[in-house]
Amino acid sequence: MSERRLLKEYQVVKKELGNHKNIISSLEPIDSDDLTNWTATILGPPNTPYHGHSFDLRIHLTPEYPLKPPQVTFSAYKMPHCNIEFKTGKICLNILDNANWSPVWNLLTVVLAIYQLLSDPVTDSPLNIDLSNILKIKDTSAYYGLIEYYLNNKSDK
Amino acid sequence: MSNEYLLEVADAPSIVQSHQKDEQIYSSVVQRLEHVLTNFKGQSFVNSYSNEISIASRVLYLAFTTLKGDPTLGEEYTDLVYVNRTGTDLVQKYKKLLFVLSYSVGPYISKKLYTKWSLRNTDSHSNGDAGNSSGDASISYKELLDKISSVHLMLFYFSGAYYEISKRIFGLRYAIGHKLNQNEKMFRKQNSNSLKILGYILLIQSFSKSLPILSQCVKTFLPQQQEQQLNEKNTYSSENDQIDTMALTKNTNLKDSKHIELSDESVFKFIPEESRNCILCLNSMVDPSAAPCGHIFCWDCIINWCKERPECPLCRQTCKMQHVLAIK
């Protein structure tokens, strides 16, 4: 099931990516012979400190996909966000959890969901405690400021 | 002279009535105990120990009534008192204790012991035999219990004594706690007669149940007949085998040829073009199958997913594997 579906998804992604041009700038397998490892680039949503930046995602698909969720991470030390572990790029998103994943979702919907997460951080399940604490006391300007600081200085890391 | 002062032995209807009343109150005791335990220990504790809780409440109820020497509410309602087998004396305390224990905890312990015993049996035997033998044993255990209780109930309806098996064992009879006048005696007698009819019905039932077994016994005693029977059976079973093999070949044929593939547009024309793809494998459906909620997927896709998690991938309604319907 996995291989056939991935081939189909590859076709669908190629066809539909044009509809999401201002969200996803690329979504493709790293090597077109191996459909289990993908890379994606998403653009920062407008009205957030991420706007104007682009972020790389690595997507790994286990042989159990689509019965098990894909494993998606940001690049390490690149993504300041309250639901993303800064050191590893690990993402805390409920639909990527084994217990909440549904096989009707596909790579495109997963990337769109991660894009959505950028503008809607969830303080209940933080992976970046510091940022989440700031957000919890509703100090949005500090939150945005800190993120901007990280993003603009990321070339140092 | 002493006979005059003896209490009349209780009749079956009043015993049944008192038992019903007791059951009613007992169930409310169970409810209250469960309520208390839910508050202290949480719902999951109550759920996992519901059996033990009901036993504990029975022990509690009987300990505060029978064991203490007071009548239970049901006994008070129908004015019954415990007397010994001959009806000449009250019942000793140790007998009451034994009755309370055996009545409430007895079935539970015997069941536990039995399962342990059968488990050990299956351990000691080799795998193939063990399954069979334990299966047989468990059936016979259940049957035995059924037999004993039905015989016991029959005896109760005829004689009007000992409604519970443990009361029969420890000799706790009921007597009516007041003197009866002529009218009441007549009335009670009539009532017990109608219960006797129940007894007859039970007798007929158990007799008809044992008829096949009896006939089998008769057959084993008549060897000639048995041989004939065997021959008949053999021809019958060989016929059966033939049919079986035929059915099997038919089935395999089915398996080879008949996949319903929606890529073929002539199949299931009522499914519109945009719904002919399975959302799980993204290809056109093979053997379309409906979850209980009505969503349709390939048979293989939805069954594989149900092994992962029993819910519909689209709407998350529960969808157990056995509830998936193949559309034919």
Side-chain angles (χ1 to χ4, degrees):
Chain A
M1 180 158 154
S2 173
E3 225 165 280
R4 247 173 46 147
R5 165 158 164 157
L6 279 175
L7 264 175
K8 195 85 187 176
E9 272 200 45
Y10 190 24
Q11 293 168 6
V12 173
V13 163
K14 267 195 214 161
K15 212 167 64 186
E16 298 221 337
L17 202 57
N19 301 338
H20 307 283
K21 248 190 289 186
N22 41 8
I23 294 175
I24 307 169
S25 67
S26 81
L27 172 59
E28 58 198 1
I30 294 174
D31 175 1
S32 60
D33 291 334
D34 169 26
L35 293 182
T36 59
N37 284 301
W38 291 57
T39 166
T41 309
I42 56 174
L43 302 171
N47 304 322
T48 65
Y50 304 106
H51 191 55
H53 299 271
S54 64
F55 305 94
D56 291 335
L57 284 168
R58 282 292 300 271
I59 304 171
H60 175 67
L61 301 166
T62 57
E64 285 110 3
Y65 179 83
L67 299 179
K68 289 274 162 65
Q71 296 163 1
V72 192
T73 51
F74 279 98
S75 308
Y77 295 110
K78 290 282 166 71
M79 196 58 197
H81 182 281
C82 97
N83 302 108
I84 294 157
E85 197 169 32
F86 194 65
K87 274 190 208 162
T88 59
K90 194 176 161 233
I91 303 170
C92 176
L93 181 60
N94 59 353
I95 67 160
L96 294 180
D97 207 37
N98 261 335
N100 288 307
W101 165 254
S102 163
V104 303
W105 289 316
N106 52 46
L107 292 177
L108 205 57
T109 54
V110 163
V111 175
L112 289 175
I114 290 170
Y115 173 82
Q116 196 61 38
L117 181 71
L118 295 191
S119 35
D120 300 322
V122 185
T123 50
D124 292 341
S125 52
L127 279 180
N128 190 326
I129 312 286
D130 301 329
L131 280 177
S132 125
N133 281 340
I134 295 170
L135 201 58
K136 257 186 198 156
I137 55 170
K138 301 216 164 69
D139 193 349
T140 345
S141 60
Y143 180 70
Y144 283 173
L146 202 55
I147 289 172
E148 256 164 54
Y149 173 79
Y150 271 121
L151 290 176
N152 293 326
N153 292 290
K154 69 182 172 186
S155 49
D156 308 342
K157 293 266 171 179
Chain B
M1 143 113 192
S2 67
N3 257 347
E4 218 169 292
Y5 290 102
L6 274 184
L7 289 171
E8 197 82 24
V9 169
D11 54 337
S14 52
I15 294 175
V16 173
Q17 205 180 7
S18 109
H19 183 257
Q20 272 173 353
K21 189 90 184 165
D22 276 334
E23 279 304 298
Q24 198 186 334
I25 287 151
Y26 157 72
S27 71
S28 87
V29 171
V30 172
Q31 258 179 18
R32 272 151 216 239
L33 192 65
E34 273 180 355
H35 186 73
V36 170
L37 284 174
T38 319
N39 284 341
F40 278 109
K41 290 276 203 172
Q43 188 64 45
S44 69
F45 176 84
V46 172
N47 284 347
S48 46
Y49 290 103
S50 67
N51 221 348
E52 285 79 358
I53 289 171
S54 62
I55 289 166
S57 24
R58 202 180 277 284
V59 171
L60 274 181
Y61 181 53
L62 289 176
F64 282 111
T65 52
T66 304
L67 212 57
K68 212 178 137 216
D70 293 336
T72 64
L73 291 170
E75 286 158 18
E76 198 176 311
Y77 181 64
T78 47
D79 196 11
L80 299 177
V81 289
Y82 280 119
V83 291
N84 67 0
R85 266 183 221 279
T86 50
T88 50
D89 202 353
L90 292 176
V91 177
Q92 297 99 314
K93 198 136 199 189
Y94 78 92
K95 275 190 175 171
K96 281 185 179 171
L97 178 68
L98 282 174
F99 155 69
V100 170
L101 286 180
S102 69
Y103 180 54
S104 48
V105 196
Y108 178 74
I109 288 182
S110 72
K111 200 171 177 195
K112 275 263 155 100
L113 279 179
Y114 173 73
T115 44
K116 221 176 223 176
W117 175 75
S118 61
L119 264 183
R120 206 189 314 155
N121 252 17
T122 45
D123 279 348
S124 60
H125 283 283
S126 67
N127 271 338
D129 292 337
N132 282 335
S133 67
S134 77
D136 287 349
S138 71
I139 289 166
S140 68
Y141 173 73
K142 243 189 184 170
E143 271 180 356
L144 193 71
L145 268 188
D146 271 359
K147 282 265 152 58
I148 290 175
S149 57
S150 71
V151 166
H152 168 80
L153 208 60
M154 221 149 59
L155 283 174
F156 168 75
Y157 285 140
F158 285 128
S159 68
Y162 311 123
Y163 191 45
E164 284 91 6
I165 293 178
S166 19
K167 279 186 188 166
R168 190 180 291 280
I169 294 169
F170 296 111
L172 272 70
R173 263 200 97 157
Y174 276 126
I176 298 166
H178 58 270
K179 281 273 161 216
L180 303 175
N181 59 23
Q182 207 57 40
N183 273 344
E184 202 180 341
K185 252 183 204 170
M186 284 274 288
F187 177 70
R188 280 177 189 266
K189 204 164 184 194
Q190 270 173 5
N191 275 343
S192 343
N193 279 343
S194 57
L195 269 194
K196 266 180 196 158
I197 295 173
L198 257 183
Y200 283 119
I201 293 174
L202 268 182
L203 188 67
I204 293 167
Q205 190 200 20
S206 53
F207 182 68
S208 61
K209 258 190 195 165
S210 55
L211 253 188
I213 303 167
L214 277 179
S215 65
Q216 199 104 60
C217 289
V218 171
K219 267 169 206 159
T220 47
F221 280 120
L222 300 172
Q224 267 191 337
Q225 230 174 326
Q226 197 192 14
E227 251 172 53
Q228 230 176 356
Q229 190 79 10
L230 265 178
N231 281 339
E232 259 175 51
K233 253 189 191 165
N234 274 342
T235 51
Y236 180 69
S237 64
S238 65
E239 260 173 42
N240 248 3
D241 282 349
Q242 269 182 345
I243 293 170
D244 275 352
T245 47
M246 267 169 67
L248 270 179
T249 47
K250 245 188 191 174
N251 257 340
T252 46
N253 279 342
L254 271 179
K255 254 182 198 169
D256 286 343
S257 62
K258 288 255 172 110
H259 273 306
I260 300 171
E261 299 196 23
L262 290 196
S263 51
D264 180 357
E265 277 176 27
S266 62
V267 180
F268 290 163
K269 278 184 186 156
F270 56 88
I271 301 181
E273 180 62 38
E274 61 269 23
S275 317
R276 294 177 84 87
N277 283 352
C278 167
I279 189 137
L280 298 185
C281 63
L282 303 176
N283 291 294
S284 35
M285 278 186 219
V286 178
D287 297 331
S289 307
C293 51
H295 289 121
I296 301 179
F297 313 92
C298 295
W299 173 263
D300 284 344
C301 296
I302 185 65
I303 290 298
N304 277 331
W305 170 249
C306 283
K307 281 180 205 158
E308 200 71 33
R309 206 167 344 125
E311 61 178 37
C312 170
L314 279 167
C315 62
R316 289 184 188 266
Q317 273 193 53
T318 43
C319 165
K320 288 186 177 148
M321 209 187 291
Q322 60 267 37
H323 293 155
V324 175
L325 268 182
I327 301 174
K328 298 246 153 137

